[in-house]
Amino acid sequence: MSDVEKLKKDLISAVEAARDEAALEAVRIAALGRKGKITEQLKGLGAMSAEERKVAGPALNGLKQAVGAAIEARKAALEDAALDARLAGETVDVTLPVRPRHEGTIHPVSQVLDETIAIFADMGFHVAEGPHIEDDFHNFTALNMPPEHPARQEHDTFYFNEKPDGSRMLLRTHTSPVQIRTMMDQRPPIRIIAPGRTFRCDSDQTHTPMFHQIEGLVIDETTHLGHLKWCLEEFCKAFFEIDNLKMRFRASHFPFTEPSMEVDIGCSFEGGAIKIGAGDDWLEILGSGMVHPNVLAHCNVDPDRYQGFAFGMGLDRLAMLKYGIPDLRAFFEADLRWLRHYGFRALQVPTLGGGLT
Ligand code: PHE
């Protein structure tokens, strides 16, 4: 066998033996690179006699082409094999069951918000919204709390810096400004709930600087205190899922309602745990009353023609009571262990239709 034949045989078997593209590239460089075996031989052509070159030239060029073609073919085969392996590795078996480990849960506040909206929607309420950053008029003045009103002090308000005109924006301290916004851009009859974030500078086991409230407002020509009472009784029974829930409407005071009532539900504190619907103790859960004529007048709603009621309650507090969660601060600490314990799985939330079981 001539030298050229032998070299061809050796190089082609090296090409065939290359297991991946890197190995194949190494063979290519060893054969056809600047210092490769074939390249070296081609360089030798110049030193040959014309006669010798006539024979060796075509032989070497044939070698170069044959090895080049073998490399190309091997390269294509390796690429196909790599693609096949990748496709096989990425196959998804869609018939496999969902992995048991779940990453996220529904926060108790979201859960209670959904339940609350469902109950009021069933009674014909619409959901209304307002901004977190409010002005003094909507948060206080229009709600019958003029600048010198003492009730303003109880709100522990977060204020922004003064504007050039001396006014200061604030973080809304309750959802009641949504009453004002709704009455100013809608004509009665009005029947809305307004859930959302509220802010007060306060922090202990039952207070956080940010918390959630849900406001209710009903305005028309005939709504009276009896409607208010019925509406809140129905809500509490549906929410706590207790038909004979004891409730107490206790005279109270809010500048924006007259008369005003706080609502307590019957419970027991025995053994350090709160049990709703049993025992002789009372727990306050919301504030309510008939909308004050001054509030209607501030919104250009004629108090001689229209009347209605409003209420406001803490959503976080409702969640604590219904689901037995002792500390409010943990609600907002984003502790995954807490979220996994108290959160709801997406497909396992209690629903009004399905109850808690
Ligand atoms: N805004 C009151 C509060 O935050 C609650 C309330 C709303 C009371 C509507 C009466 C009517 O305490």
Side-chain angles (χ1 to χ4, degrees):
M1 201 193 295
S2 75
D3 286 354
V4 173
E5 284 295 307
K6 178 157 186 327
L7 186 57
K8 184 169 161 187
K9 200 167 159 251
D10 289 351
L11 286 174
I12 287 182
S13 50
V15 166
E16 236 95 86
R19 317 234 8 194
D20 53 36
E21 291 185 47
L24 183 63
E25 179 64 4
V27 175
R28 189 191 65 78
I29 291 168
L32 300 166
R34 264 194 310 131
K35 292 195 172 131
K37 288 194 175 121
I38 299 177
T39 316
E40 292 292 330
Q41 300 244 357
L42 285 167
K43 278 187 205 157
L45 284 176
M48 290 179 187
S49 68
E51 284 302 302
E52 283 171 325
R53 206 181 303 136
K54 237 187 204 162
V55 182
L60 285 176
N61 275 324
L63 169 68
K64 188 179 170 187
Q65 265 166 29
V67 171
I71 289 173
E72 282 310 308
R74 183 73 189 142
K75 194 166 173 212
L78 284 173
E79 277 170 3
D80 283 354
L83 183 62
D84 283 349
R86 207 178 120 199
L87 288 176
E90 286 178 2
T91 301
V92 175
D93 182 351
V94 291
T95 65
L96 284 175
V98 177
R99 282 184 212 163
R101 198 166 153 258
H102 58 282
E103 291 297 331
T105 55
I106 295 171
H107 194 283
V109 174
S110 304
Q111 173 58 27
V112 162
L113 176 60
D114 286 350
E115 294 173 26
T116 307
I117 290 177
I119 297 168
F120 283 113
D122 201 37
M123 293 190 221
F125 283 77
H126 290 266
V127 174
E129 281 183 312
H132 295 163
I133 298 175
E134 267 296 4
D135 54 34
D136 194 272
F137 174 77
H138 290 90
N139 197 80
F140 292 124
T141 306
L143 286 159
N144 204 26
M145 282 184 269
E148 69 286 0
H149 200 287
R152 284 183 174 222
Q153 256 80 67
E154 290 159 29
H155 281 239
D156 300 314
T157 313
F158 286 113
Y159 283 100
F160 287 82
N161 292 340
E162 259 182 36
K163 293 204 268 194
D165 67 3
S167 67
R168 286 194 290 176
M169 298 299 277
L170 49 88
L171 289 176
R172 68 178 181 191
T173 57
H174 49 179
T175 41
S176 300
V178 186
Q179 288 188 33
I180 305 301
R181 292 187 176 274
T182 307
M183 284 190 276
M184 291 185 97
D185 64 57
Q186 248 169 263
R187 292 289 95 196
I190 290 170
R191 202 185 290 171
I192 56 116
I193 48 169
R197 294 187 171 189
T198 46
F199 308 84
R200 290 187 198 182
C201 188
D202 202 355
S203 180
D204 60 31
Q205 200 181 347
T206 52
H207 296 90
T208 49
M210 187 283 295
F211 57 107
H212 299 82
Q213 284 193 340
I214 185 157
E215 193 81 9
L217 176 72
V218 175
I219 302 288
D220 58 28
E221 295 185 22
T222 54
T223 289
H224 54 69
L225 201 73
H227 296 124
L228 158 65
K229 218 176 151 211
W230 178 87
C231 177
L232 293 175
E233 279 173 359
E234 285 304 302
F235 168 75
C236 291
K237 284 189 221 162
F239 180 77
F240 290 107
E241 300 178 53
I242 300 174
D243 282 341
N244 56 353
L245 184 69
K246 273 200 299 176
M247 290 178 70
R248 177 169 82 172
F249 287 75
R250 188 166 34 80
S252 182
H253 179 263
F254 299 103
F256 33 92
T257 48
E258 181 58 38
S260 303
M261 290 165 301
E262 280 177 309
V263 178
D264 301 338
I265 53 172
C267 67
S268 113
F269 292 111
E270 249 165 65
I274 302 175
K275 214 164 152 218
I276 312 285
D280 297 320
D281 294 311
W282 295 101
L283 197 72
E284 181 211 318
I285 57 157
L286 62 88
S288 67
M290 299 304 293
V291 178
H292 197 292
N294 289 354
V295 176
L296 297 173
H298 270 299
C299 304
N300 300 319
V301 175
D302 180 1
D304 292 329
R305 183 167 167 206
Y306 295 107
Q307 59 186 38
F309 64 81
F311 58 86
M313 51 195 167
L315 274 178
D316 321 85
R317 193 169 162 78
L318 289 179
M320 291 171 78
L321 293 174
K322 182 162 177 179
Y323 295 112
I325 311 174
D327 194 321
L328 179 62
R329 287 167 298 194
F331 273 60
F332 309 116
E333 280 170 1
D335 181 334
L336 277 178
R337 293 162 305 173
W338 187 94
L339 290 167
R340 289 202 178 108
H341 182 75
Y342 287 111
F344 296 86
R345 299 272 310 268
L347 298 173
Q348 289 180 348
V349 292
T351 63
L352 283 182
L356 275 170
T357 44

mmCIF file of all heavy atoms in Angstrom, residues 155 173-176 179 200 213 215 254 256-257 287-289 310-312, ligand 1:
data_model
loop_
_atom_site.group_PDB
_atom_site.id
_atom_site.type_symbol
_atom_site.label_atom_id
_atom_site.label_comp_id
_atom_site.label_asym_id
_atom_site.label_seq_id
_atom_site.Cartn_x
_atom_site.Cartn_y
_atom_site.Cartn_z
ATOM 1 N N HIS A 155 -56.511 58.964 64.293
ATOM 2 C CA HIS A 155 -56.193 58.226 63.079
ATOM 3 C C HIS A 155 -54.713 57.956 62.842
ATOM 4 O O HIS A 155 -54.357 57.254 61.907
ATOM 5 C CB HIS A 155 -56.806 58.939 61.854
ATOM 6 C CG HIS A 155 -58.270 58.650 61.706
ATOM 7 N ND1 HIS A 155 -58.796 58.063 60.590
ATOM 8 C CD2 HIS A 155 -59.297 58.842 62.554
ATOM 9 C CE1 HIS A 155 -60.111 57.916 60.762
ATOM 10 N NE2 HIS A 155 -60.435 58.391 61.923
ATOM 11 N N THR A 173 -56.353 56.633 55.930
ATOM 12 C CA THR A 173 -56.390 55.965 57.231
ATOM 13 C C THR A 173 -57.565 55.009 57.336
ATOM 14 O O THR A 173 -57.672 54.262 58.299
ATOM 15 C CB THR A 173 -56.482 57.004 58.360
ATOM 16 O OG1 THR A 173 -57.657 57.801 58.126
ATOM 17 C CG2 THR A 173 -55.266 57.902 58.391
ATOM 18 N N HIS A 174 -58.453 55.074 56.381
ATOM 19 C CA HIS A 174 -59.583 54.147 56.324
ATOM 20 C C HIS A 174 -60.090 54.102 54.877
ATOM 21 O O HIS A 174 -59.616 54.868 54.023
ATOM 22 C CB HIS A 174 -60.704 54.545 57.308
ATOM 23 C CG HIS A 174 -61.117 55.994 57.254
ATOM 24 N ND1 HIS A 174 -62.109 56.509 58.047
ATOM 25 C CD2 HIS A 174 -60.680 57.051 56.512
ATOM 26 C CE1 HIS A 174 -62.267 57.804 57.788
ATOM 27 N NE2 HIS A 174 -61.414 58.147 56.869
ATOM 28 N N THR A 175 -61.019 53.192 54.587
ATOM 29 C CA THR A 175 -61.541 53.113 53.224
ATOM 30 C C THR A 175 -62.714 54.075 53.028
ATOM 31 O O THR A 175 -63.258 54.172 51.923
ATOM 32 C CB THR A 175 -61.975 51.669 52.871
ATOM 33 O OG1 THR A 175 -62.643 51.098 53.993
ATOM 34 C CG2 THR A 175 -60.779 50.810 52.491
ATOM 35 N N SER A 176 -63.084 54.832 54.067
ATOM 36 C CA SER A 176 -64.226 55.745 53.955
ATOM 37 C C SER A 176 -64.091 56.812 52.858
ATOM 38 O O SER A 176 -65.109 57.228 52.301
ATOM 39 C CB SER A 176 -64.508 56.387 55.309
ATOM 40 O OG SER A 176 -64.800 55.379 56.257
ATOM 41 N N GLN A 179 -66.208 56.226 49.937
ATOM 42 C CA GLN A 179 -67.617 56.681 50.003
ATOM 43 C C GLN A 179 -67.751 58.008 49.274
ATOM 44 O O GLN A 179 -68.636 58.206 48.443
ATOM 45 C CB GLN A 179 -68.046 56.949 51.458
ATOM 46 C CG GLN A 179 -68.241 55.760 52.350
ATOM 47 C CD GLN A 179 -68.844 56.227 53.685
ATOM 48 O OE1 GLN A 179 -69.620 57.184 53.741
ATOM 49 N NE2 GLN A 179 -68.473 55.548 54.763
ATOM 50 N N ARG A 200 -52.036 53.270 59.156
ATOM 51 C CA ARG A 200 -51.971 54.075 60.382
ATOM 52 C C ARG A 200 -50.668 53.765 61.097
ATOM 53 O O ARG A 200 -50.201 52.623 61.077
ATOM 54 C CB ARG A 200 -53.146 53.743 61.323
ATOM 55 C CG ARG A 200 -54.462 54.246 60.780
ATOM 56 C CD ARG A 200 -55.594 54.084 61.774
ATOM 57 N NE ARG A 200 -56.869 54.181 61.072
ATOM 58 C CZ ARG A 200 -58.052 54.112 61.653
ATOM 59 N NH1 ARG A 200 -58.137 53.966 62.966
ATOM 60 N NH2 ARG A 200 -59.147 54.202 60.933
ATOM 61 N N GLN A 213 -59.121 47.153 55.019
ATOM 62 C CA GLN A 213 -60.507 47.370 55.442
ATOM 63 C C GLN A 213 -61.440 47.068 54.287
ATOM 64 O O GLN A 213 -61.027 47.033 53.129
ATOM 65 C CB GLN A 213 -60.731 48.834 55.829
ATOM 66 C CG GLN A 213 -60.168 49.216 57.182
ATOM 67 C CD GLN A 213 -60.683 50.581 57.650
ATOM 68 O OE1 GLN A 213 -61.149 51.391 56.845
ATOM 69 N NE2 GLN A 213 -60.579 50.835 58.938
ATOM 70 N N GLU A 215 -65.146 48.713 53.106
ATOM 71 C CA GLU A 215 -66.161 49.723 53.362
ATOM 72 C C GLU A 215 -67.443 49.302 52.668
ATOM 73 O O GLU A 215 -67.398 48.649 51.614
ATOM 74 C CB GLU A 215 -65.681 51.039 52.725
ATOM 75 C CG GLU A 215 -66.434 52.264 53.126
ATOM 76 C CD GLU A 215 -65.940 52.781 54.469
ATOM 77 O OE1 GLU A 215 -64.923 52.290 54.991
ATOM 78 O OE2 GLU A 215 -66.593 53.703 55.002
ATOM 79 N N PHE A 254 -69.132 57.983 65.282
ATOM 80 C CA PHE A 254 -68.225 58.308 64.176
ATOM 81 C C PHE A 254 -68.711 59.644 63.621
ATOM 82 O O PHE A 254 -69.918 59.864 63.528
ATOM 83 C CB PHE A 254 -68.283 57.251 63.063
ATOM 84 C CG PHE A 254 -67.873 55.877 63.510
ATOM 85 C CD1 PHE A 254 -68.836 54.903 63.759
ATOM 86 C CD2 PHE A 254 -66.538 55.556 63.686
ATOM 87 C CE1 PHE A 254 -68.468 53.641 64.190
ATOM 88 C CE2 PHE A 254 -66.160 54.286 64.115
ATOM 89 C CZ PHE A 254 -67.123 53.326 64.366
ATOM 90 N N PHE A 256 -68.866 60.663 60.704
ATOM 91 C CA PHE A 256 -69.515 60.578 59.390
ATOM 92 C C PHE A 256 -70.800 59.778 59.388
ATOM 93 O O PHE A 256 -71.398 59.570 58.336
ATOM 94 C CB PHE A 256 -68.533 60.030 58.350
ATOM 95 C CG PHE A 256 -67.549 59.030 58.908
ATOM 96 C CD1 PHE A 256 -67.819 57.674 58.879
ATOM 97 C CD2 PHE A 256 -66.357 59.458 59.487
ATOM 98 C CE1 PHE A 256 -66.924 56.755 59.411
ATOM 99 C CE2 PHE A 256 -65.450 58.546 60.018
ATOM 100 C CZ PHE A 256 -65.742 57.193 59.986
ATOM 101 N N THR A 257 -71.221 59.271 60.549
ATOM 102 C CA THR A 257 -72.512 58.568 60.608
ATOM 103 C C THR A 257 -73.304 59.074 61.813
ATOM 104 O O THR A 257 -72.741 59.480 62.828
ATOM 105 C CB THR A 257 -72.320 57.035 60.718
ATOM 106 O OG1 THR A 257 -71.366 56.771 61.741
ATOM 107 C CG2 THR A 257 -71.879 56.427 59.418
ATOM 108 N N GLY A 287 -67.571 48.936 62.445
ATOM 109 C CA GLY A 287 -68.232 50.197 62.754
ATOM 110 C C GLY A 287 -69.248 50.491 61.665
ATOM 111 O O GLY A 287 -69.039 50.137 60.509
ATOM 112 N N SER A 288 -70.348 51.129 62.044
ATOM 113 C CA SER A 288 -71.389 51.368 61.044
ATOM 114 C C SER A 288 -72.294 52.521 61.471
ATOM 115 O O SER A 288 -72.174 53.036 62.578
ATOM 116 C CB SER A 288 -72.233 50.104 60.869
ATOM 117 O OG SER A 288 -72.958 49.849 62.061
ATOM 118 N N GLY A 289 -73.208 52.897 60.606
ATOM 119 C CA GLY A 289 -74.177 53.929 60.966
ATOM 120 C C GLY A 289 -74.885 54.469 59.737
ATOM 121 O O GLY A 289 -74.587 54.075 58.608
ATOM 122 N N ALA A 310 -73.605 53.190 56.047
ATOM 123 C CA ALA A 310 -72.220 52.852 55.700
ATOM 124 C C ALA A 310 -71.668 51.964 56.804
ATOM 125 O O ALA A 310 -72.146 51.999 57.940
ATOM 126 C CB ALA A 310 -71.375 54.110 55.574
ATOM 127 N N PHE A 311 -70.684 51.165 56.442
ATOM 128 C CA PHE A 311 -69.994 50.367 57.469
ATOM 129 C C PHE A 311 -68.555 50.165 57.043
ATOM 130 O O PHE A 311 -68.209 50.325 55.854
ATOM 131 C CB PHE A 311 -70.690 49.015 57.690
ATOM 132 C CG PHE A 311 -70.800 48.165 56.460
ATOM 133 C CD1 PHE A 311 -69.758 47.320 56.084
ATOM 134 C CD2 PHE A 311 -71.949 48.211 55.669
ATOM 135 C CE1 PHE A 311 -69.860 46.545 54.943
ATOM 136 C CE2 PHE A 311 -72.044 47.432 54.517
ATOM 137 C CZ PHE A 311 -71.007 46.595 54.153
ATOM 138 N N GLY A 312 -67.728 49.855 58.019
ATOM 139 C CA GLY A 312 -66.318 49.599 57.714
ATOM 140 C C GLY A 312 -65.800 48.531 58.655
ATOM 141 O O GLY A 312 -66.101 48.560 59.848
HETATM 142 N N1 PHE B 1 -63.976 54.366 58.883
HETATM 143 C C1 PHE B 1 -64.258 53.798 60.190
HETATM 144 C C2 PHE B 1 -62.935 53.348 60.805
HETATM 145 O O1 PHE B 1 -61.966 53.209 60.142
HETATM 146 C C3 PHE B 1 -65.210 52.655 60.107
HETATM 147 C C4 PHE B 1 -66.596 53.063 59.664
HETATM 148 C C5 PHE B 1 -66.918 53.075 58.332
HETATM 149 C C6 PHE B 1 -67.554 53.431 60.578
HETATM 150 C C7 PHE B 1 -68.202 53.466 57.925
HETATM 151 C C8 PHE B 1 -68.824 53.788 60.207
HETATM 152 C C9 PHE B 1 -69.146 53.809 58.872
HETATM 153 O O2 PHE B 1 -62.858 53.103 61.995
#
